[in-house]
Amino acid sequence: MSGVRRHLGFLLLAEVVLCAAATRFQDVLSHERTPVTPYKKIQGWSSDQNKWDEKLYPFWEEGDPRWKDCWKGGRVTAKLDTDSPALVGSNVTFSVTLQFPKCQKEDNDGNIIYERNCTQDPPASQDQQVYVYNWTEWIDSCGWENCTSNHSHNVFPDGRLFPHYPGWRRRNFVYVFHTFGQYHQTTGRSSITFSVNTANITLGKHTMAVSIYRRGHSAYVPIARAKATYIVTDKIPIFVSMYQKHDRNISDSIFIKDSPITFDVKIHDPSYYLNNSAISYKWNFGDGSGLFVASSSTTSHTYTLQGNFTLNVTVQAIIPIPCRPVTPTAPLPTSAVTTGASSNLESSTTVESMEDNPDGGCHIYRNGYYRTGISVVEGILEVNIIQMMSIQMTESQAENSLVDFVVTCQGSLPTDVCTVVSDPTCQVSKSVVCDPIIVTDECLLTIRRAFEEPGTYCINITLGDDTSQALASALISVNGGSSSGTTEGVFIFLGLLAVFAAIGAFVLYKRYKQYKPIERSAGQAENHEGLTAYFSNFKAIFFPTSNERNPLLKSKPGIV
């Protein structure tokens, strides 16, 4: 009898030792043995104290030589990204992307294609492409209904079967995620994305680890691992972008006095957790203008003084949540002297305390805070082009047309000037010239620019200093720069005028020429009458008279 007991005790001890030596998810995924800590359960996740099938999913330490041969063509790396930080209660999303060795890619059927001679130009032909892995060779040939045998390879490290949804056979990689003392396993292709709700995750910084396996002949082969840090917070993640019209560098937090600054609050909420929340924004610009509360994420403010100021923004969200059920309170013990009224009061049921909501229902408050320093300087406020003058040049100097632009500005003194010459629509830039300038007293300077060809141009002149800039625009018509060209144009004009005068005289002569009779009468009186008639006709031609002040027929009037 004692021998039987001794044998049973030995078996129990062996089972305890084997259980203690069994590989668990925590051992594989965290790479270290840590004491079991109670965690709040993440929905859809399992405890990392479950057993890991190391025979089907072998575990290799870093530095193991088998990593070099686990993938043909070189090592596969995994990139794990996250949209953290996440407001507690919202979802945090992770995405994994496998990066294959050079010349390898995944096709539409989930196969990995290796292109031989892929570095050649032109690319390799179709017959030079070979499949690195024929996944279907190692998949069980069972149908949809008889894939539950114990020898099937279509199971996760904890023995659970792969989900059989359409296209599941094309998902040839197994991803096992681990965080917060729990794991999540899924199948996928070369990239996957999944989300985790943070309602039961402790506030703070955590690590998400992932191990990726590929199909093998008799087991799954590890190919890559990756880690990423994510943050769960009870403060709304916010950022404020600031814009000012004449600000030269929007990232230096230096702005111009007496010019409005536009502030825009950006809330980081990629899972749209705050979509149904009432959000308000409380502004304190730090210049003594007081507090400003608004329901819009965008506002503007003008600083009228120079100096350094501190901007403070508080964002408050009222988030609706399901109300918790009414929890009865256990009756308190009463003494014999307690009256009935007091006894009923003490033993009445109470509702668990929730945040006050004037509209009814239940909700929680979440706040976000943003604080930054702002410097306000005078800056360049306005630029004006007050005069444009063409420069007269001699024939030997005339290669380009020169124009002087007289420019004034308001505010601080500029340190550089840029001129942009564009087409008449101000859309297509033809040339850009920038020069440093020194202005010591008054903002009044002359800018000389050359134009290679005559035409109409759009001119943008920008004056700037270290923190600000302002511009002025104008349209200018540029003539040829040569004086000989001007003289030639004058002679051409005079020649055309002489031609038109000769043609006009000929037309007048043909229309009003003197009629000569076959026989003329002798005598001085007749000659006098003929001469008088001739001069009368001449006078009528060049000096017409009319009794109407505004005749109906007249030439086109000129522009006044």
Side-chain angles (χ1 to χ4, degrees):
M1 188 70 179
S2 61
V4 174
R5 291 178 179 176
R6 187 181 302 106
H7 182 68
L8 291 175
F10 178 78
L11 292 178
L12 291 174
L13 179 62
E15 183 177 358
V16 171
V17 172
L18 290 175
C19 291
T23 302
R24 303 183 183 276
F25 275 77
Q26 183 189 53
D27 305 328
V28 175
L29 301 177
S30 64
H31 312 299
E32 58 183 4
R33 293 185 178 272
T34 56
V36 178
T37 304
Y39 295 107
K40 293 182 180 180
K41 181 174 176 56
I42 303 175
Q43 185 178 2
W45 289 54
S46 305
S47 172
D48 61 3
Q49 297 305 307
N50 292 344
K51 293 182 180 179
W52 175 283
D53 188 351
E54 192 172 4
K55 183 178 180 181
L56 187 59
Y57 289 86
F59 168 67
W60 300 340
E61 296 283 354
E62 290 297 332
D64 193 306
R66 288 175 291 183
W67 283 107
K68 298 181 180 179
D69 301 325
C70 68
W71 190 274
K72 183 179 179 180
R75 285 292 300 270
V76 177
T77 59
K79 184 180 181 182
L80 178 60
D81 295 317
T82 174
D83 60 4
S84 167
L87 182 64
V88 61
S90 67
N91 292 338
V92 57
T93 300
F94 298 89
S95 60
V96 183
T97 303
L98 296 181
Q99 299 175 341
F100 300 113
K102 186 178 181 181
C103 306
Q104 297 186 23
K105 63 181 180 180
E106 185 182 43
D107 66 3
N108 295 332
D109 294 327
N111 294 310
I112 305 301
I113 298 178
Y114 174 65
E115 298 181 4
R116 293 181 299 182
N117 302 324
C118 66
T119 57
Q120 293 181 354
D121 190 17
S125 60
Q126 187 67 28
D127 57 356
Q128 292 178 307
Q129 298 180 357
V130 297
Y131 291 99
V132 177
Y133 302 111
N134 186 1
W135 305 106
T136 57
E137 181 181 349
W138 306 311
I139 298 179
D140 294 337
S141 59
C142 58
W144 287 91
E145 63 280 349
N146 57 355
C147 288
T148 58
S149 58
N150 293 331
H151 66 275
S152 174
H153 293 166
N154 299 321
V155 295
F156 289 112
D158 60 0
R160 300 179 189 177
L161 293 174
F162 290 165
H164 290 176
Y165 36 68
W168 71 279
R169 291 181 180 274
R170 298 180 180 179
R171 302 190 174 198
N172 299 296
F173 300 98
V174 177
Y175 297 83
V176 185
F177 297 89
H178 179 253
T179 188
F180 206 61
Q182 298 164 73
Y183 70 89
H184 172 74
Q185 51 195 6
T186 185
T187 59
R189 299 182 62 175
S190 59
S191 62
I192 64 169
T193 300
F194 77 101
S195 299
V196 181
N197 188 268
T198 60
N200 290 335
I201 298 181
T202 305
L203 302 180
K205 183 183 296 185
H206 305 280
T207 300
M208 175 68 73
V210 60
S211 294
I212 302 100
Y213 287 75
R214 68 164 177 86
R215 296 183 184 274
H217 288 280
S218 59
Y220 288 86
V221 181
I223 59 171
R225 296 173 184 164
K227 289 183 178 181
T229 300
Y230 67 99
I231 298 175
V232 179
T233 176
D234 59 350
K235 304 295 188 297
I236 301 175
I238 64 173
F239 176 78
V240 179
S241 62
M242 293 168 277
Y243 168 78
Q244 192 177 42
K245 182 178 180 181
H246 296 135
D247 188 20
R248 192 164 193 173
N249 184 2
I250 61 175
S251 62
D252 60 0
S253 297
I254 301 177
F255 299 95
I256 305 169
K257 179 178 70 73
D258 296 327
S259 181
I261 307 173
T262 300
F263 301 90
D264 188 13
V265 179
K266 306 291 185 181
I267 297 179
H268 182 71
D269 183 31
S271 65
Y272 307 106
Y273 176 62
L274 301 176
N275 264 17
N276 298 323
S277 305
I279 302 178
S280 60
Y281 305 84
K282 183 169 65 176
W283 299 85
N284 185 346
F285 299 102
D287 58 351
S289 58
L291 298 178
F292 175 67
V293 180
S295 59
S296 174
S297 61
T298 303
T299 188
S300 62
H301 182 73
T302 301
Y303 288 89
T304 59
L305 299 175
Q306 300 184 50
N308 297 322
F309 306 92
T310 301
L311 171 69
N312 285 279
V313 184
T314 301
V315 177
Q316 185 180 79
I318 304 177
I319 308 171
I321 60 172
C323 292
R324 299 176 184 175
V326 176
T327 304
T329 303
L332 298 176
T334 58
S335 59
V337 297
T338 304
T339 62
S342 62
S343 176
N344 291 336
L345 179 63
E346 293 171 353
S347 61
S348 62
T349 60
T350 60
V351 179
E352 186 173 357
S353 175
M354 300 297 294
E355 290 80 357
D356 181 34
N357 187 351
D359 298 329
C362 299
H363 65 269
I364 56 176
Y365 288 96
R366 296 296 182 197
N367 295 324
Y369 306 94
Y370 183 85
R371 177 188 178 98
T372 188
I374 291 178
S375 297
V376 179
V377 297
E378 185 176 16
I380 301 175
L381 301 178
E382 184 179 352
V383 175
N384 294 299
I385 302 175
I386 62 174
Q387 191 176 6
M388 296 181 290
M389 299 179 298
S390 296
I391 305 302
Q392 298 296 330
M393 303 184 66
T394 64
E395 182 178 357
S396 60
Q397 298 174 336
E399 295 181 358
N400 298 323
S401 297
L402 297 181
V403 179
D404 282 350
F405 299 89
V406 181
V407 179
T408 63
C409 65
Q410 297 180 8
S412 59
L413 298 178
T415 57
D416 57 78
V417 57
C418 287
T419 304
V420 180
V421 179
S422 308
D423 67 332
T425 64
C426 299
Q427 299 296 322
V428 181
S429 176
K430 296 182 178 298
S431 65
V432 179
V433 179
C434 294
D435 296 306
I437 56 175
I438 298 177
V439 181
T440 59
D441 186 11
E442 182 182 2
C443 186
L444 176 64
L445 64 154
T446 300
I447 304 167
R448 176 169 294 182
R449 291 293 179 256
F451 298 86
E452 296 181 356
E453 298 178 355
T456 301
Y457 299 92
C458 174
I459 306 298
N460 288 331
I461 297 179
T462 302
L463 300 181
D465 58 11
D466 293 338
T467 60
S468 62
Q469 61 182 6
L471 65 86
S473 300
L475 283 175
I476 181 174
S477 180
V478 179
N479 297 322
S482 174
S483 59
S484 62
T486 303
T487 306
E488 182 181 355
V490 171
F491 280 113
I492 292 174
F493 173 78
L494 293 177
L496 291 175
L497 183 60
V499 171
F500 282 118
I503 294 174
F506 177 78
V507 172
L508 291 175
Y509 171 78
K510 293 291 289 183
R511 183 174 181 180
Y512 299 104
K513 65 180 179 178
Q514 176 65 34
Y515 173 74
K516 297 182 179 180
I518 297 176
E519 297 179 357
R520 74 172 67 183
S521 302
Q524 187 176 2
E526 293 180 359
N527 293 335
H528 179 73
E529 290 177 0
L531 185 61
T532 302
Y534 177 80
F535 280 106
S536 297
N537 292 334
F538 185 83
K539 181 180 180 181
I541 294 174
F542 290 97
F543 301 98
T545 58
S546 177
N547 294 327
E548 295 182 358
R549 182 176 180 86
N550 295 307
L552 295 178
L553 299 177
K554 62 179 181 178
S555 60
K556 185 177 179 181
I559 300 175
V560 178

